[in-house]
Amino acid sequence: MYANVIIDIMHEKLDRTFQYEVPRELEGKLCPGMQVSFPFGNGDRQRKGYVLELTEEPQWDPSKIKKLSGIAKKGIAAEGELIALACWLKEAYGCTMIQALHTVLPVRDRVQGGEKVYVRLAGDTCKVDSYLALCGKRGYRARARLIRRLKDCPEGLDTGRLSSEGTAGMPVIRALEQLGIVRCERREAFRRPEVSKNPEYGRKELNEEQQAAVEAIWENGAAAGREGKEPPVALLYGVTGSGKTEVYLELIRRTMEEGRQAIVLIPEIAMTYQTLTRFYTRFGDQVSVMNSRMSAGERYDQFERARRGEIRVVIGPRSALFTPFDRLGLIIVDEEHEGAYKSEQMPRYHARDVAIRRAGMCGAAVVLGSATPSVDSYWHAERGDYKLVRLPHRAGAGQLPRVYVEDMRRELREGNRSVFSARLRGQMEACLQRREQAMLFLNRRGYSGVLSCRSCGEAVKCPHCVVALAVQRAGGQRHLVRHHCGDVREAPKTCPSCGSRYLSELRAGTQQIESLVRAEFPGARVLRMDMDTTRNKHDHERILSAFAAGEADILVGTQMIVKGHDFKNVTLVGVLAADMSLGAGDYRACERTFQLLTQAAGRAGRGERAGEVTIQTYQPEHYSIRLAAAQDYEGFYEREIAYRSLLRYPPCGHMLAVLASCREEEHLRRAVGYLKEMAERICAGQGVQVIGPAQSGIYRVKDVYRRNLFLKGGSLEQLAGVRRKLEKYIGANQGFDSVQIQFDPDPMQAL
Ligand code: ADP
Ligand code: ZN
């Protein structure tokens, strides 16, 4: 028996298998995916690697084949399915086998978990409450805060968390321990996020639409399972607040009832306490949560528990796809339109595509859910590749909000230079008066440095192409850089379209907005959520729960505040600079803008009271903005697909991005020039167009320069063929040694 193994080193040249003989004592113990050790190279140094396959056929003279030394103790073996998935990733996305393996085996070594000290309330409720009242009288704020926090978490919280979230430090805990109000206990690190159950999230009677959606998806899954051909994919298109999560919960319940397991993918940004509580309340300890901040040890534990069958539902970002479940029955991709599902490292996979692939291997069903489906998924649904299931109405009491579009050019003409339109200002005053809450969302997605005219709304564009110019500052001077070719030229002083002097960079930050709000609405309590205020682990949760608890009237933030939360008292949403993301100059800019605006609008009016939304923009006639305001997804889709189809952009055609980076600017320029020549030669007569080289959106980061080529046209197989030829060419030329090259099929961002 022979084993083909791969060495665990991140190096392209080692991207091939080596064959070893399996010693008698290991026969029957090895299987694909196991980590083994073996002698390697001339010095026979001991190395580790993974078994990819076992075979009885020697690749060459059997007397020259070395023997495996043994099974490496620390590694975990992946299921054959995950190894097969890795093989597919390698082919589909053009990465090394080892990169593919690292993707499906995110944890290799066991990390010992330490102990943590858990604090929880001791004594009866009466005693605790009377002490809490005493704290109120004496002004013991920290003690009161700790008691209130622990009341929400009967199973206790660890001291590390209590201190990092700013609830209480050790002196306060010790003092309460001595009074017998709290108890401290050491526990083996309780490696799952501390989430408690909340009866408010108990099982709900599904409404008719939800019930019909469950049946349609279930029937679709069962049919495909019977016929065993296609992976059964359903696209659940449900407006914001239509109760998609309840549909997921019911589908998971049925899946578990059949003895099968489920994976739920959620973009990390939407993994809020509120969402997780809904899952825990329904399924208890059978649920496990993963997130990217977990240590290797914590992830390892989760995967082990999944393998042993202790957990049956995993919720997490895209890496949760690789949970080693042996009877996987359902994969849910919530907010399937989110860009976060695309990996930014090799392999640059899209979680949606990998989910469908994995489901196809084990007969599981896939549900893609969104209020604003990606153009790609909707296109597949229209063609009948996916089953389209709709939830057109809000589930609870809430109605879809009334949306206003305010033209900021007109505001300027009328002498209003403030960031707030007259309407939004009036709405905010009224909202504060009614003691309801407002959210102000600052769209900072896409190219933040685009120069645009505040009089006519035009972004200053390159004279040779339609791409917006990006602003760069050097020595206090405002320069403009052309996206495509890297020309640097001086910024115009007046608008090239209308001659107005009001050109600005659309750069107001959230901090600036926060101070403006405080200045204009002195009585209002304001919270801000952006990169700066969410640096620590629990900041996200702290800000959102404070807002949910009514501790502020206005929440100001970036796209972070748009996701996942269900604030019952929010009746006003203001979107500032809605067009900021339109100038990004890539083919998905309109789609992203439409999605962000629709999702933001969906935050309003989730409770009993109706909601209002005001979108402020310099381009009110743009279809992304107009149709988002009308909450007209189908209308948007028709416009967008016509454009994609005309220009052969995905999903109507395919692309391959070649992303090159290097420390030396000149060397990179030349290398990419050669690459382009080669690509053109390979593509000749194939109907594949080579575009570029273009500088990447972020041209220079930490002294590494980037340049991209885009191949457009042909089928994915054709493009993969071109990629393999380019890989060969790159491998054979030393000139490319200092250039890092990544391939990205159907990129999310392309010119
Ligand atoms: P989505 O995920 O589509 O945005 P959610 O599942 O979060 O929607 O539901 C939105 C709100 O409606 C939540 O507050 C939820 O509790 C409520 N809800 C959902 N389904 C029902 C139902 N069948 N009956 C009553 N309320 C419901
Ligand atoms: Zn102008």
Side-chain angles (χ1 to χ4, degrees):
M1 194 66 125
Y2 301 92
N4 294 334
V5 302
I6 179 127
I7 293 194
D8 184 12
I9 293 178
M10 279 283 191
H11 198 294
E12 263 84 296
K13 300 269 154 44
L14 285 172
D15 191 15
R16 61 188 187 94
T17 55
F18 297 90
Q19 199 166 56
Y20 284 86
E21 192 184 328
V22 178
R24 181 126 314 148
E25 70 272 15
L26 289 185
E27 263 179 38
K29 288 187 187 163
L30 283 182
C31 60
M34 256 183 193
Q35 206 181 21
V36 288
S37 54
F38 39 79
F40 187 77
N42 292 333
D44 275 350
R45 270 183 50 204
Q46 282 293 316
R47 301 291 278 271
K48 282 182 197 169
Y50 294 104
V51 176
L52 285 190
E53 55 180 354
L54 295 164
T55 168
E56 286 175 5
E57 308 248 318
Q59 267 166 356
W60 52 80
D61 181 358
S63 67
K64 295 216 172 108
I65 298 181
K66 298 178 197 172
K67 274 190 185 174
L68 286 181
S69 321
I71 296 173
K73 280 204 189 65
K74 282 190 156 184
I76 60 164
E79 313 308 315
E81 193 182 297
L82 290 176
I83 291 288
L85 203 54
C87 295
W88 177 78
L89 281 173
K90 171 180 185 293
E91 282 310 307
Y93 294 96
C95 61
T96 64
M97 190 64 192
I98 209 76
Q99 284 170 330
L101 288 169
H102 277 297
T103 305
V104 302
L105 305 169
V107 222
R108 280 166 303 154
D109 295 331
R110 178 180 256 291
V111 177
Q112 288 299 332
E115 276 187 338
K116 284 185 182 173
V117 176
Y118 278 77
V119 187
R120 57 182 188 167
L121 291 175
D124 56 76
T125 333
C126 218
K127 180 178 170 188
V128 171
D129 284 342
S130 61
Y131 187 74
L132 186 58
L134 183 73
C135 290
K137 275 195 211 119
R138 300 244 175 109
Y140 295 161
R141 301 238 301 277
R143 291 182 190 195
R145 195 164 54 225
L146 177 59
I147 294 170
R148 267 193 230 109
R149 183 77 176 95
L150 293 177
K151 276 183 158 222
D152 290 341
C153 281
E155 64 266 49
L157 288 169
D158 70 271
T159 52
R161 171 155 183 180
L162 286 169
S163 118
S164 72
E165 69 186 16
T167 302
M170 279 322 279
V172 174
I173 295 169
R174 290 273 173 257
L176 287 184
E177 190 183 17
Q178 271 168 8
L179 290 167
I181 304 289
V182 305
R183 196 167 40 220
C184 296
E185 55 197 48
R186 279 181 185 285
R187 272 187 235 160
E188 158 124 36
F190 186 61
R191 286 167 164 176
R192 76 173 168 78
E194 295 82 356
V195 177
S196 45
K197 298 189 176 186
N198 181 338
E200 201 187 307
Y201 300 126
R203 196 166 164 191
K204 288 202 168 52
E205 194 75 44
L206 295 184
N207 64 32
E208 250 169 64
E209 272 175 16
Q210 287 169 318
Q211 193 64 45
V214 167
E215 296 306 336
I217 295 171
W218 192 255
E219 177 50 35
N220 183 54
R226 266 197 311 272
E227 288 148 30
K229 301 187 303 240
E230 303 283 303
V233 184
L235 174 60
L236 178 61
Y237 159 39
V239 299
T240 51
S242 57
K244 293 184 288 298
T245 312
E246 295 297 325
V247 171
Y248 303 153
L249 290 167
E250 173 61 14
L251 289 167
I252 295 170
R253 191 191 64 77
R254 291 190 182 189
T255 303
M256 286 167 73
E257 207 170 69
E258 289 197 332
R260 303 184 76 177
Q261 301 126 346
I263 294 174
V264 183
L265 300 187
I266 303 187
E268 183 121 28
I269 199 164
M271 287 180 57
T272 58
Y273 187 77
Q274 206 179 34
T275 310
L276 302 181
T277 305
R278 287 171 82 171
F279 282 87
Y280 275 114
T281 304
R282 217 59 72 82
F283 304 119
D285 283 343
Q286 301 187 82
V287 179
S288 156
V289 173
M290 299 211 185
N291 64 53
S292 62
R293 295 192 220 104
M294 282 169 109
S295 66
E298 287 172 318
R299 281 164 185 249
Y300 180 90
D301 280 7
Q302 300 307 333
F303 277 22
E304 269 303 284
R305 291 178 64 208
R307 191 190 312 279
R308 286 200 300 258
E310 292 170 19
I311 49 178
R312 300 204 281 158
V313 181
V314 160
I315 305 175
R318 58 173 189 262
S319 56
L321 260 183
F322 307 110
T323 306
F325 279 139
D326 57 353
R327 296 206 63 216
L328 183 61
L330 177 66
I331 305 179
I332 288 166
V333 186
D334 189 29
E335 310 281 1
E336 64 89 28
H337 62 277
E338 270 296 311
Y341 283 128
K342 175 98 179 181
S343 168
E344 302 214 312
Q345 289 160 13
M346 290 287 271
R348 291 177 158 260
Y349 69 92
H350 199 297
R352 190 172 54 216
D353 300 334
V354 180
I356 292 170
R357 186 77 196 180
R358 184 164 183 202
M361 287 171 167
C362 59
V366 178
V367 179
L368 310 175
S370 175
T372 51
S374 61
V375 167
D376 310 61
S377 295
Y378 202 80
W379 183 75
H380 278 295
E382 285 229 306
R383 287 173 15 129
D385 302 337
Y386 305 163
K387 167 115 188 143
L388 182 60
V389 179
R390 286 192 172 88
L391 292 175
H393 303 102
R394 280 202 166 167
Q399 290 173 358
L400 286 175
R402 167 129 204 224
V403 185
Y404 303 89
V405 175
E406 288 306 289
D407 183 348
M408 295 309 277
R409 299 168 307 186
R410 210 194 54 217
E411 295 286 319
L412 186 74
R413 278 200 304 272
E414 291 170 2
N416 177 10
R417 299 235 195 114
S418 133
V419 292
F420 302 112
S421 60
R423 184 188 298 278
L424 183 56
R425 185 195 309 269
Q427 285 171 324
M428 285 175 68
E429 276 161 6
C431 180
L432 290 169
Q433 208 128 58
R434 293 194 308 265
R435 310 216 134 268
E436 292 167 359
Q437 292 175 297
M439 290 169 83
L440 289 181
F441 162 59
L442 182 64
N443 182 5
R444 286 175 59 86
R445 205 48 178 273
Y447 233 75
S448 62
V450 169
L451 192 68
S452 66
C453 171
R454 292 188 58 183
S455 299
C456 74
E458 280 296 307
V460 180
K461 296 208 170 105
C462 166
H464 306 294
C465 51
V466 292
V467 176
L469 292 164
V471 178
Q472 244 185 15
R473 284 179 184 281
Q477 278 283 78
R478 189 152 75 183
H479 289 287
L480 284 180
V481 182
R482 199 163 97 213
H483 212 128
H484 253 115
C485 55
D487 260 11
V488 180
R489 54 180 70 210
E490 216 172 301
K493 300 270 183 297
T494 55
C495 171
S497 322
C498 75
S500 159
R501 284 183 301 113
Y502 291 108
L503 289 180
S504 75
E505 267 171 71
L506 285 181
R507 254 214 176 136
T510 37
Q511 204 169 352
Q512 197 187 340
I513 302 288
E514 184 194 5
S515 9
L516 283 169
V517 172
R518 286 185 194 282
E520 301 210 19
F521 305 95
R525 297 164 300 160
V526 187
L527 271 174
R528 171 164 61 99
M529 186 155 146
D530 57 17
M531 289 294 270
D532 290 335
T533 61
T534 53
R535 284 188 205 281
N536 295 319
K537 208 168 166 180
H538 301 294
D539 286 346
H540 239 93
E541 206 47 63
R542 185 175 48 75
I543 298 173
L544 291 173
S545 7
F547 190 60
E551 288 169 28
D553 307 303
I554 301 172
L555 176 63
V556 176
T558 53
Q559 59 263 23
M560 271 181 206
I561 65 176
V562 172
K563 303 282 146 52
H565 247 254
D566 200 9
F567 302 108
K568 297 273 189 290
N569 200 33
V570 170
T571 55
L572 175 63
V573 170
V575 183
L576 310 175
D579 18 14
M580 194 101 104
S581 51
L582 284 174
D586 76 277
Y587 78 99
R588 282 182 194 268
C590 298
E591 181 180 356
R592 272 200 306 275
T593 303
F594 176 83
Q595 285 162 349
L596 268 168
L597 296 182
T598 311
Q599 300 276 353
R603 294 302 111 195
R606 290 198 153 220
E608 312 271 302
R609 284 160 304 235
E612 286 180 319
V613 179
T614 289
I615 295 175
Q616 297 189 165
T617 175
Y618 292 96
Q619 300 177 65
E621 65 292 331
H622 192 285
Y623 70 98
S624 291
I625 290 172
R626 214 162 31 78
L627 295 166
Q631 317 234 346
D632 180 2
Y633 177 83
E634 275 101 344
F636 170 78
Y637 173 81
E638 293 302 328
R639 279 293 298 260
E640 185 66 15
I641 206 72
Y643 152 75
R644 302 262 179 109
S645 154
L646 189 68
L647 294 176
R648 309 303 300 157
Y649 277 120
C652 306
H654 290 292
M655 293 184 82
L656 174 69
V658 184
L659 316 171
S661 58
C662 178
R663 291 188 166 275
E664 287 166 74
E665 192 172 11
E666 185 50 29
H667 185 78
L668 179 67
R669 206 185 52 73
R670 257 182 304 156
V672 174
Y674 286 126
L675 209 53
K676 176 171 181 170
E677 255 173 54
M678 192 62 196
E680 276 171 342
R681 215 172 307 154
I682 298 169
C683 296
Q686 288 205 50
V688 178
Q689 187 190 353
V690 182
I691 305 168
Q695 287 178 3
S696 160
I698 330 160
Y699 176 49
R700 190 176 129 185
V701 180
K702 290 190 194 134
D703 286 327
V704 176
Y705 295 85
R706 294 146 195 264
R707 261 171 194 276
N708 304 333
L709 289 177
F710 296 99
L711 277 53
K712 192 162 127 195
S715 65
L716 275 181
E717 293 73 40
Q718 249 178 315
L719 289 172
V722 175
R723 186 194 76 217
R724 277 189 286 272
K725 284 183 187 149
L726 285 177
E727 279 169 341
K728 237 185 222 147
Y729 172 69
I730 292 162
N733 284 283
Q734 286 182 351
F736 290 106
D737 285 357
S738 61
V739 183
Q740 201 212 1
I741 292 170
Q742 299 194 343
F743 294 96
D744 191 359
D746 282 354
M748 297 297 277
Q749 280 176 319
L751 296 175

